[in-house]
Amino acid sequence: MNWLDIIGILIIVFIVIWSVILDVIAITDEEYSFVGGCSVVSLFLCALVVLIFFFVCDKSAGVTQGYITSVDKNFFGTTAIFIKTSESSQEEYCIEDDKIVDIANENIGKKVTVKYGKRVGLYSTGRCNQGPIESIKLAENE
């Protein structure tokens, strides 16, 4: 959990507290229809915050081959790896496992085969927002 997760959770807590305060005010004023509407709106806002902060949907999984050009630490603790797949294109992948980061650092400039998985669900903002790399192996020279 990092500070961006905490901000998301605090926003949800603020929405819930504000909704309860508005519901109490509405009940004391005998405005019962407002209570239901306020609850629905607060549920919608909480769901929206959860989707914006924590939902990840990357269904692409597969294997790619190329030369590792760079391994960089990201702001929230994951590691980005850049792989040159052709003369003019370079792709970025994400690593969460420190062992795989070590393998990537050892193989900078070498031709590798990278296997990455899919990622769908609720994840911390300190995790990859795409399918993380599962394995890196040296490619057979052709």
Side-chain angles (χ1 to χ4, degrees), residues 68 71 81 95 97-110 112-114 133-138:
I68 297 177
V71 179
I81 180 173
I95 305 173
D97 187 0
D98 289 335
K99 293 176 186 174
I100 297 176
V101 171
D102 294 338
I103 294 170
N105 280 321
E106 292 170 4
N107 293 306
I108 292 176
K110 297 178 183 173
V112 295
T113 301
V114 173
I133 289 179
E134 296 172 352
S135 68
I136 298 175
K137 295 181 182 163
L138 280 173

Side-chain angles (χ1 to χ4, degrees), residues 15-137:
I15 291 170
V16 169
I17 290 172
W18 189 248
S19 174
V20 169
I21 290 170
L22 290 177
D23 286 344
V24 168
I25 292 170
I27 289 171
T28 56
D29 290 343
E30 296 182 4
E31 295 288 337
Y32 300 112
S33 61
F34 182 78
V35 174
C38 185
S39 298
V40 169
V41 170
S42 67
L43 276 173
F44 173 76
L45 290 175
C46 287
L48 186 65
V49 169
V50 166
L51 287 176
I52 289 171
F53 278 85
F54 305 110
F55 184 71
V56 177
C57 183
D58 181 15
K59 291 187 175 184
S60 63
V63 177
T64 191
Q65 196 170 58
Y67 296 91
I68 297 177
T69 58
S70 177
V71 179
D72 300 327
K73 194 75 168 165
N74 290 332
F75 185 68
F76 289 118
T78 59
T79 302
I81 180 173
F82 295 90
I83 299 176
K84 189 171 187 174
T85 55
S86 69
E87 286 296 321
S88 61
S89 73
Q90 180 167 283
E91 297 177 8
E92 178 182 357
Y93 295 94
C94 184
I95 305 173
E96 293 176 341
D97 187 0
D98 289 335
K99 293 176 186 174
I100 297 176
V101 171
D102 294 338
I103 294 170
N105 280 321
E106 292 170 4
N107 293 306
I108 292 176
K110 297 178 183 173
K111 189 172 186 179
V112 295
T113 301
V114 173
K115 180 181 177 193
Y116 55 95
K118 62 182 175 180
R119 172 150 290 186
V120 177
L122 298 176
Y123 293 92
S124 166
T125 56
R127 308 291 282 179
C128 292
N129 62 355
Q130 63 190 39
I133 289 179
E134 296 172 352
S135 68
I136 298 175
K137 295 181 182 163

